[in-house]
Structure formats: C-alpha cells, structure tokens
Amino acid sequence: MIMKQLSRFAVLFLAIHIATSVADQPQQAFDIPKQQNINQPEGNWYTFNSTIKRVAVIGAGPAGLQAAATFIEHNFTVRLFDRAPGPGGNWLYSDEIPVREPYPAFNSSDAPETEERWIPEQLPTSEYYNKGDDGSTLDSRWREHWQPRSIWNSLHTNSPAIITELRDVPYPPDHSWVISAHTIGAHVRAYASINKLNANDNSSVHSYSTRVEKLSKGDNGWTLTLKHLKKLEEPERLKATWWNEDFDAVFVATGPYTSPHVPEIEGLLLWSKVHTVDPEDFSVYHSRVYRRPERYTGKNVLVVGVGTSGSEIARDISGFANKIYASHRKFDWDNLHPFQRRSINRFPPETEFIPEISQFEPLPSLDNGIRNGKIRLVNGTYLENIDEIILATGYKRSNPFHLAALNETFGTESVTSPPADVFTGQALKYVHWTGHFIPDPTLAFTTGNPSLDRRLGHYQYYGQAKVWAGTAHLPSEAELWAQYNSTRYNYFRGLFGTGPSEAIVRQYVTWLNNESLENGGRLVGPWPVQNREVFAYYANQEWEKAYISKENFTRFENVPAHQWTPQDIWDVSVFEDEFW
C-alpha cells in the first residue's frame, strides 16, 4: 500500500514538474474558447461520466483497421464504417475516378463549400435510384458515394517497408526496395483479413459502402446517421438505406486532407468546363483522377505543381506525351525542404519548367479542347498548344466530423471552418496530442502521421483503447488545455526519423508504460534499434543525403523533455500546396 502511494506521488510530481517546465517556454495562442467550462471533479485525472462499451470507427484505411482491431482486443463492441466497398483507405486502387471537383470563381469569397447531405425524416428507410433519376447516372451516384481514391496504377510509395509494414502481416521477403501501391493495398487487405475485417468476412463489425452522413452528440453518447449504397443487377439500379446507430465513443480515422485543392486563377473556371475531343473527358482536372499514361500519347501536357504527385505523374507519362511543362511558384532552392527538392529532381529531364500562371485567357470556343487557348504567365509570356492540364496542387482540410464536433460543443456562430491552406492553423482544433477531443474525450482522431508510420499509430490506438477501458488516465481537463497550449506538446508532427517523430514516440512509450505499470496492460517498446540504420540508409538513397541519420534517433535520448525547443523537434511537413 505504501509503495502504491509513493508511486502515485511520483506520477503527480512528474506531471507538476512537466507543467512547470513548459510554462516557462514561449506559448502559442490557440484561441481556447472562453465559454468552455471545466466541470470535472477535482483531481489529477479526467473522469468519464459513464462506462464506454460501444465504439464506432470511421474509416477503414491502415489507421482505422488498426484502431478497430485494438478496440476489439480490449473487449469493446466495435462497428467499423467506410464509404468505400472494401478496406484499404487511400491504398484501395480502382480504375473508377472521383466525381468532378468544384472550381472556384476568381477573386470570389464564395469558395466551394461542403453541401449538407439530405437525410430522410423517418429512419430507418430505403430508397431506390434508377438510371436518369434527377439527371444523374447510376455510375456518378456510386462514385460520389464512395469517392474512389487518388492513387494511380503505377504508383510507388516514397516510404520504406520498415515503417509502412503493419503488425502481424509481413511483406513478402522478396518485395522490391520501393514498394508499389498494389503491394501495399494487398498488405492492408491481408491485415484486414487476419482481423476478420475484410469485406468478404461474415462479421457484425464492419459495414462497407456505408457513409457517415452526420455525427451528433446526445445525452447518452454519440449518434451516427449512416447511408449504405448497394448495386442491384436486376433491374440495374441502386438501393440506398439510411439508419442511426448510437455509441459511447467515436474514433475518426478518415484523415484531414480529403478535398482537392483547386487554385483560384483568373479564367480557370471557364477552362474547367471544356471537354477534350472525347466528350466524356475534361481538358483540365485535378491529379486525383489520374490513372494510366496511355491517354497522353502524343499530347502536350501542362502539370501545375511540382510536388510529389506532379513529379511522379510527369515521370509516368514521359514515355507517351509529346511535351511536358511544369508550372510552379517562385522558390528559393536552398530553403526548400528535402522532400520538395526531391520532387523537383524527379521530374523527367525533358520537362520544361515555367513560372506561375497569371491568367487563362478567354477561349475562342468551348468545343474540341483547349489547344487554341492561351495561358499567360506571371513573367508576361504566353504558353499555347496545350492539350491537357493536370492540377497537381494537393489537398485542403476537410474533416466534417471534426467540424461537427466543434459546432456541437461551441455553436456554429463561434466556429469557423479550418483554413483551405494546409499550412495555416492546426489540422485538428482542440485535440490533445493523444488524439482525444478535449471538450469531450469520448471523441478521438488520428494525429501525427500514422499513415506513414504504422508504429506511431499502434501507440496511439493502444492509448485510446486503454483510456476508454479505464486502464490509462488522461490528465484533468485543465491540464489537457494547458498541454494543448504549451510549446512542447504542439510540435509533434513531421516525417518519421525527424525530431517531431522521435518526440511523440518517447512521449507515448513513457505514458503508456507508466499507465500499464499502475493499472495493468502490456508494456510497449520504442522502435527497434537495429531498424534505425536500415531506415537511415533508405532515406539517404531515396530522399536526400544527410537528411536522416542514426543520430536523429540517438540525439533525443540525451535531451530531457523540458529542454525540447521548436528548433529541436520541428520539421516542416511537406504538402504539395506550398509551392505549386
């Protein structure tokens, strides 16, 4: 009994010491709402109002699958939802393409917004869609519902197997050094299968082709309004079914960047309406619809953006296209992130780099493509004779479940949508480093970059399961807000092997093991030391020399947490929008 009291005292002392240490560091203003009331009982730990038994997981990519499997291991009743017809998330390849992305008017404050989805008044209910209803095809309805992913047929990842491999499902021993998207997709589906979460598993856990239409909070927990879409063959039509399900907790694993970023350029809206010679295809489109290179045979192609998608698509079509141009914003080479320099260097040598676009001049005709159009560049020159334009301009934040939670908690008038520019503000507002939504920790999100580092995801989902099961504690609500506003806890981002990644891993391992020691549960270990050299070698070969080394890992072993600085643990996260 005495030892247990001493152990609790040590934990309390550690929490006080950390809070005191970070209080002396520069603070970031994250606009904590003044109307937030802290009504938890006095004490060191957050206390839930009721026992958590039923958990919903939204999204069946690598993150959602791992989370669902972990929650099942902890004896929760789990339901897994994904709008796609099967597991895989962004690694679920399909020749189907997403429906047409919206194009903003130039200099307009009326940026495209997410349309509120129609929900029948009486639930549950079903409805049948026939060809031509409301002027829509069955194919477009189906694609709008499940939103085919943005990967193309020949895509290969820029991350090594050693950090993308899921637990218990090793890659084939003869896998290639650079892994294809199809190999990763099969790997993720194998993980789903061994956990009985694949589409063909007879399980009450998963519901594929099911989109979460609405997330709302009631007196007894969370309510998900769901829509399932099913293809019927005789006669050819679709069956839509809506219903509600109630849960004690919800985990959102959809990722924040799901909406294509279309830049506001004068004249682009008009050009976006032009079809190619084939009336089924457009001449201007976002890179998310790219699938195969044969379409570009003999054509002059303009790629707008020189990030990862832009360079890799240019490489893919280089053996087919007649000419490739790449438009980009002005940049300073020496100040670019290594991943940005890598993307530019990977463009095929025959690519002609051109400045940023100033205007798409009015077209003489909206028929038969854009080849007769003129594109004015910021340096005053013109580009002509272009057959197709690929907008490799990245993605913007679109997490409707996060926005719904903010609206439920603080009201629609006090909450503004996350910024369209991925470089401003926090990706997830009022979310603790553990992924829990601070105003109501029965809601949680993926944080960091678990889609690239499966190991980080493993820590996070295990921690969330322990918290909801009562074998791990969150600090009091006051301390949750204090950590949210401190420098130390707000630099946990970046690529694996960099400072931010090492910081969050050390934080998780320490927290999880301390909680398991006190409350039961298995211990977790840091990333195996023997993997560091393999990863560093890959990074130096495929990314940029001297960017990652074994010292990236060992340096943090000798730096106490209260001495971490932004310079120590901040690494620019690379997205395509920054210099398209």
Side-chain angles (χ1 to χ4, degrees):
M1 183 67 179
I2 295 176
M3 289 301 297
K4 188 171 183 180
Q5 290 176 339
L6 288 174
S7 180
R8 285 292 186 187
F9 176 79
V11 174
L12 176 59
F13 174 79
L14 177 62
I16 295 173
H17 173 68
I18 290 173
T20 305
S21 299
V22 298
D24 295 331
Q25 299 179 25
Q27 300 293 301
Q28 285 188 322
F30 287 117
D31 187 29
I32 294 178
K34 294 180 180 179
Q35 67 267 35
Q36 177 64 23
N37 294 318
I38 300 172
N39 52 18
Q40 291 294 317
E42 292 184 5
N44 300 318
W45 317 116
Y46 187 96
T47 303
F48 291 98
N49 294 326
S50 59
T51 302
I52 295 173
K53 297 179 180 179
R54 285 179 53 82
V55 178
V57 177
I58 306 175
L65 291 171
Q66 289 182 96
T70 303
F71 297 152
I72 291 170
E73 289 176 1
H74 283 75
N75 299 316
F76 292 106
T77 299
V78 178
R79 288 280 278 154
L80 172 66
F81 303 102
D82 199 296
R83 62 195 298 174
N90 287 334
W91 298 109
L92 179 60
Y93 175 80
S94 172
D95 281 327
E96 293 182 296
I97 62 173
V99 294
R100 187 72 168 156
E101 63 274 357
Y103 283 77
F106 180 66
N107 270 347
S108 171
S109 59
D110 299 327
E113 296 181 357
T114 302
E115 183 179 354
E116 186 173 349
R117 297 183 180 127
W118 177 78
I119 298 173
E121 292 184 6
Q122 299 295 326
L123 299 180
T125 190
S126 295
E127 182 176 320
Y128 292 89
Y129 298 129
N130 296 292
K131 183 179 180 180
D133 287 352
D134 300 325
S136 298
T137 66
L138 295 179
D139 175 68
S140 64
R141 285 187 187 275
W142 174 251
R143 291 185 292 115
E144 187 277 331
H145 178 82
W146 87 266
Q147 190 173 311
R149 307 318 193 222
S150 304
I151 61 174
W152 55 92
N153 184 57
S154 65
L155 176 68
H156 285 68
T157 181
N158 55 13
S159 299
I162 206 166
I163 68 168
T164 61
E165 189 172 80
L166 292 162
R167 288 190 305 152
D168 304 323
V169 191
Y171 284 114
D174 60 345
H175 69 77
S176 60
W177 178 246
V178 179
I179 309 172
S180 75
H182 292 293
T183 298
I184 296 178
H187 176 70
V188 176
R189 292 192 298 275
Y191 181 86
S193 292
I194 67 168
N195 288 284
K196 300 180 181 180
L197 297 173
N198 214 332
N200 59 355
D201 288 315
N202 185 16
S203 170
S204 61
V205 174
H206 63 71
S207 182
Y208 291 107
S209 298
T210 301
R211 191 171 66 189
V212 179
E213 303 291 270
K214 185 179 179 181
L215 171 67
S216 56
K217 184 67 186 291
D219 294 335
N220 298 316
W222 297 93
T223 298
L224 269 60
T225 302
L226 305 156
K227 179 183 180 182
H228 176 78
L229 203 61
K230 182 179 180 180
K231 289 184 176 181
L232 303 178
E233 295 182 359
E234 296 181 3
E236 186 181 2
R237 56 181 178 167
L238 297 172
K239 180 182 179 181
T241 303
W242 291 264
W243 75 99
N244 287 332
E245 290 192 32
D246 297 325
F247 298 93
D248 303 310
V250 176
F251 180 74
V252 181
T254 56
Y257 303 107
T258 56
S259 295
H261 172 221
V262 176
E264 291 187 23
I265 303 176
E266 186 174 358
L268 178 59
L269 179 61
L270 181 64
W271 281 52
S272 71
K273 300 176 181 179
V274 180
H275 290 267
T276 62
V277 176
D278 183 346
E280 295 296 319
D281 295 325
F282 287 94
S283 298
V284 181
Y285 44 87
H286 193 270
S287 61
R288 67 180 185 151
V289 306
Y290 176 75
R291 292 295 183 268
R292 299 174 186 271
E294 291 79 8
R295 162 178 175 158
Y296 304 91
T297 301
K299 294 182 178 180
N300 297 331
V301 181
L302 169 60
V303 178
V304 181
V306 292
T308 303
S309 293
S311 62
E312 298 307 309
I313 290 174
R315 288 170 66 88
D316 204 33
I317 68 176
S318 63
F320 296 84
N322 176 62
K323 178 70 176 179
I324 300 174
Y325 298 90
S327 170
H328 60 85
R329 290 176 170 174
K330 187 177 181 180
F331 58 80
D332 180 351
W333 180 264
D334 292 335
N335 289 327
L336 291 180
H337 188 279
F339 254 72
Q340 295 170 329
R341 289 195 289 264
R342 175 186 186 270
S343 294
I344 295 174
N345 284 332
R346 283 181 62 81
F347 271 89
E350 65 270 21
T351 303
E352 182 176 336
F353 291 94
I354 61 174
E356 185 179 353
I357 298 169
S358 172
Q359 179 186 5
F360 292 92
E361 300 268 321
L363 291 163
S365 170
L366 298 183
D367 299 321
N368 299 321
I370 58 174
R371 191 173 180 85
N372 294 325
K374 297 175 66 176
I375 302 171
R376 191 174 192 273
L377 308 179
V378 293
N379 63 359
T381 62
Y382 286 86
L383 185 65
E384 301 180 67
N385 299 319
I386 296 298
D387 295 297
E388 300 201 26
I389 299 175
I390 302 173
L391 300 175
T393 48
Y395 298 83
K396 60 185 179 182
R397 291 194 186 106
S398 177
N399 195 323
F401 309 112
H402 179 236
L403 189 58
L406 292 172
N407 290 336
E408 290 269 354
T409 307
F410 304 115
T412 56
E413 294 182 359
S414 63
V415 177
T416 57
S417 297
D421 182 356
V422 300
F423 285 92
T424 55
Q426 279 194 316
L428 291 170
K429 200 172 186 180
Y430 307 149
V431 173
H432 191 245
W433 62 267
T434 59
H436 294 90
F437 184 56
I438 296 175
D440 187 343
T442 59
L443 176 66
F445 299 85
T446 53
T447 59
N449 201 347
S451 63
L452 289 178
D453 176 13
R454 309 291 190 246
R455 308 292 176 175
L456 174 57
H458 165 59
Y459 297 134
Q460 184 179 40
Y461 317 138
Y462 181 45
Q464 287 164 349
K466 285 178 67 63
V467 166
W468 287 341
T471 60
H473 294 98
L474 291 175
S476 66
E477 190 169 354
E479 179 61 19
L480 286 172
W481 285 115
Q483 291 185 9
Y484 176 81
N485 251 346
S486 74
T487 300
R488 168 181 167 179
Y489 294 96
N490 279 290
Y491 286 100
F492 290 151
R493 38 184 311 202
L495 300 171
F496 185 82
T498 58
S501 176
E502 281 303 287
I504 188 64
V505 166
R506 293 177 70 81
Q507 185 74 31
Y508 265 119
V509 169
T510 304
W511 173 59
L512 290 171
N513 286 342
N514 182 73
E515 294 297 325
S516 291
L517 176 66
E518 295 297 324
N519 305 296
R522 70 178 183 273
L523 301 181
V524 299
W527 206 46
V529 174
Q530 63 269 25
N531 290 348
R532 295 175 178 177
E533 187 168 356
V534 177
F535 177 76
Y537 181 80
Y538 179 98
N540 278 270
Q541 293 296 313
E542 296 294 329
W543 298 353
E544 182 175 271
K545 285 189 177 299
Y547 173 50
I548 299 292
S549 68
K550 287 186 293 182
E551 285 69 32
N552 284 57
F553 300 95
T554 57
R555 181 166 58 91
F556 265 72
E557 294 176 352
N558 300 310
V559 180
H562 69 273
Q563 292 181 12
W564 291 352
T565 68
Q567 290 71 33
D568 286 327
I569 61 175
W570 175 255
D571 177 71
V572 178
S573 294
V574 181
F575 300 100
E576 296 174 358
D577 298 53
E578 187 184 36
F579 68 140
W580 54 260

